[in-house]
């Protein structure tokens, strides 16, 4: 049985850059699908019917096999179709057995070759159809980034973001039409980036350099409290680090942050790995708005913010791998709902600062087990002409894993 769909990677060098096998696939096709630009790269004497993608193209990808029954379909894709490309979407929709992929060097490989960068030491960030704020989570001094964008305005957007976060001295190179006859580059610093637009086929390379006085944000949980806009409803830094250690973020997993306040737990869960997902549930509309702003500024704009009061607001949310309850722990109803929703092997962590909240945690520990920890933190502060310890309110942490 032949493969229903063949995906051919094609670069800016067009037909000349295709391997003999890829050319044969295109020449034998009954139907060619791709963007208008990609279809125009195929010679006129190739007889296949050419069908450009509609906008949006998602439904067309999902219905591709049914749209061309019994015909040999070849899909043209940019570079490596499995790197933030249409090949990934087709495999997701139809399964790996229904798709054959013939890649060519990706824009990432070509960019690293031009710059002399090791691919394995370079962080790739795709903002194709996504907010450029995603770049912020990867901005630390000395890091090398390759940003894949949707159009020629991406380099300027990346430069503005870097300058706004205190990294205006970063070196930026926009590499356009890689491996094609019109290949060229644009160079500058983030703060002085002079190119409003470059080219639709562009990769943005960044060598991150901090401006004087910029304090890098760590990759591990426990960001400084002043990294967040908040009204006092914030899990403080030291308690936050301990709480996230017990939540144990794992790539690909989903967290519910219930009573999210400033959103710090969900945000730092997502900063652990790009595949980590989180839902922040907050009853205050003003705080919910602020959570979204904090998430975007700290590089995780994909944080889902639900404005509503738990436990009712938890209905119809996707099943979580971990749950944090940081606010509203005044009755048995909320932990009951969270425990019932949790996947087997999932972690539930709840914090309390009141006697009433502690009583709820103690009752649940008696019922399902887990560990109770009381955390006391004190900070040095002036006492007259001397220095003393100023204690914060103790926090009781209950952590448990569902069998």
């Amino acid at each position: 049985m032949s493969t229903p769909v063949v995906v051919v990677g094609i670069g800016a060098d067009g037909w000349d850059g295709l391997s003999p096998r890829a050319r044969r696939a295109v020449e034998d096709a009954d139907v060619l699908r791709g963007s208008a630009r990609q279809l125009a790269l195929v010679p006129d004497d190739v007889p296949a019917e050419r069908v450009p993608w509609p906008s949006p193209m998602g439904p067309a990808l999902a219905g591709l096999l049914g749209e061309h029954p019994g015909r040999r379909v070849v899909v043209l894709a940019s570079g490596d179709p499995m790197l933030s490309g249409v090949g990934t979407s087709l495999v997701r929709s139809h399964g790996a057995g229904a798709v054959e992929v013939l890649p060519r060097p990706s824009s990432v490989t070509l960019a690293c070759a031009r710059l002399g960068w090791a691919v394995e030491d370079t962080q790739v960030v795709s903002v194709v159809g996504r907010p450029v704020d995603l770049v912020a989570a990867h901005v630390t001094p000395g890091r090398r980034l390759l940003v894949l964008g949707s159009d020629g305005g991406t380099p300027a957007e990346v430069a503005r973001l870097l300058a706004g976060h205190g990294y205006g001295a970063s070196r930026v190179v926009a590499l356009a039409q890689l491996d094609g006859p019109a290949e060229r580059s644009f160079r500058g610093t983030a703060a002085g980036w002079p190119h409003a637009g470059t080219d639709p086929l562009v990769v943005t390379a960044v060598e991150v350099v901090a401006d004087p006085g910029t304090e890098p944000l760590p990759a591990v949980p426990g960001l400084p409290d002043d990294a967040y806009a908040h009204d006092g409803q914030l899990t403080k830094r030291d308690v936050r680090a301990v709480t996230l250690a017990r939540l144990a973020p794992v790539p690909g997993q989903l967290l519910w942050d219930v009573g999210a306040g400033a959103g710090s737990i969900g945000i730092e869960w997502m900063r652990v790995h790009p595949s980590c997902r989180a839902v922040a549930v907050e009853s205050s509309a003003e705080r919910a708005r602020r959570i979204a702003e904090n998430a975007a500024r700290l590089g995780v704009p994909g944080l889902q913010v639900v404005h509503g009061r738990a436990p009712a607001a938890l209905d119809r949310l996707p099943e979580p791998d971990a749950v944090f309850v940081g606010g509203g722990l005044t009755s048995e109803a909320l932990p009951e709902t969270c425990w019932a929703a949790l996947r087997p092997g999932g972690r539930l962590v709840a914090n309390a600062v009141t006697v009433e909240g502690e009583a709820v945690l103690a009752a649940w520990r008696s019922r399902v087990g887990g560990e109770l920890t009381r955390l006391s933190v004190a900070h040095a502060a002036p006492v007259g002409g001397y220095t003393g310890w100023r204690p914060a309110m103790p926090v009781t942490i209950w952590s448990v894993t569902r069998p």
Side-chain angles (χ1 to χ4, degrees):
M1 178 180 177
S2 61
T3 303
V5 178
V6 178
V7 185
V8 172
I10 189 167
D13 53 352
W15 188 254
D16 291 340
L18 295 184
S19 68
R21 184 181 177 190
R23 287 191 186 186
R24 285 195 300 272
V26 174
E27 291 168 339
D28 293 342
D30 297 318
V31 179
L32 290 178
R33 299 299 301 261
S35 68
R37 179 190 63 80
Q38 291 162 343
L39 294 172
L41 296 173
V42 177
D44 293 338
D45 58 359
V46 173
E49 178 187 0
R50 306 180 190 213
V51 183
W53 294 119
S55 182
M57 62 184 292
L61 291 173
L64 185 63
L65 298 183
E67 188 175 347
H68 306 289
R71 307 183 74 189
R72 293 187 296 271
V73 179
V74 170
V75 173
L76 301 179
S78 295
D80 183 352
M82 301 305 289
L83 178 63
S84 297
V86 69
T88 305
S89 300
L90 286 170
V91 170
R92 188 182 299 121
S93 296
H94 305 288
V99 182
E100 180 183 3
V101 180
L102 304 179
R104 58 156 285 132
S106 69
S107 58
V108 169
T109 297
L110 293 170
C112 286
R114 299 295 184 272
L115 296 165
W117 293 2
V119 175
E120 67 271 19
D121 295 332
T122 303
Q123 178 66 48
V124 179
V125 186
S126 175
V127 297
V128 178
R130 303 171 184 174
V132 74
D133 296 308
L134 285 165
V135 175
H138 305 282
V139 176
T140 51
R143 204 167 192 187
R144 287 173 168 174
L145 312 177
L146 284 181
V147 183
L148 310 181
S150 300
D151 54 48
T154 299
E157 292 183 56
V158 171
R160 281 193 294 271
L161 181 141
L162 292 165
H165 282 71
Y167 292 88
S170 298
R171 295 180 287 274
V172 181
V173 182
L175 299 161
Q177 297 283 338
L178 280 164
D179 226 20
E183 179 176 325
R184 62 195 189 278
S185 64
F186 306 80
R187 298 174 182 269
T189 63
W193 186 251
H195 313 286
T198 52
D199 187 280
L201 292 179
V202 68
V203 177
T204 307
V206 179
E207 290 187 279
V208 182
V209 179
D211 297 335
T214 296
E215 295 186 12
L217 294 179
V220 298
L223 299 185
D225 292 343
D226 60 11
Y228 297 93
H230 63 91
D231 59 2
Q233 293 298 310
L234 173 72
T235 302
K236 298 302 190 292
R237 182 180 195 173
D238 300 296
V239 175
R240 191 185 328 128
V242 173
T243 298
L244 279 152
R246 282 164 168 72
L247 286 167
V250 173
Q253 292 196 344
L254 173 69
L255 168 76
W256 286 1
D257 182 0
V258 182
S264 61
I265 297 293
I267 288 169
E268 295 190 28
W269 168 281
M270 291 183 67
R271 282 174 57 91
V272 167
H273 192 270
S275 66
C276 287
R277 298 166 294 132
V279 180
V281 180
E282 175 53 53
S283 61
S284 163
E286 178 64 19
R287 289 176 186 156
R289 178 193 61 77
R290 194 180 291 121
I291 290 170
E293 292 175 353
N294 283 332
R297 189 177 63 258
L298 293 170
V300 288
L303 175 68
Q304 180 184 350
V305 181
V306 174
H307 173 218
R309 187 173 296 278
L314 305 178
D315 290 346
R316 296 182 297 278
L317 289 182
E319 192 177 38
D321 301 286
V323 177
F324 172 63
V325 181
L329 191 64
T330 56
S331 71
E332 296 278 343
L334 183 53
E336 182 78 53
T337 301
C338 294
W339 183 253
L342 196 61
R343 293 178 186 270
R347 290 82 64 202
L348 174 60
V349 177
N351 292 358
V353 295
T354 66
V355 172
E356 292 79 8
E358 287 182 338
V360 174
L361 298 187
W364 267 89
R365 178 176 178 273
S366 297
R367 177 176 167 182
V368 300
E371 180 182 357
L372 278 176
T373 302
R374 173 169 282 186
L375 192 65
S376 297
V377 178
H379 295 278
V383 179
Y386 299 91
T387 301
W389 293 104
R390 182 167 295 165
M393 290 184 68
V395 178
T396 300
I397 303 173
W398 174 52
S399 54
V400 63
T401 299
R402 181 166 182 174

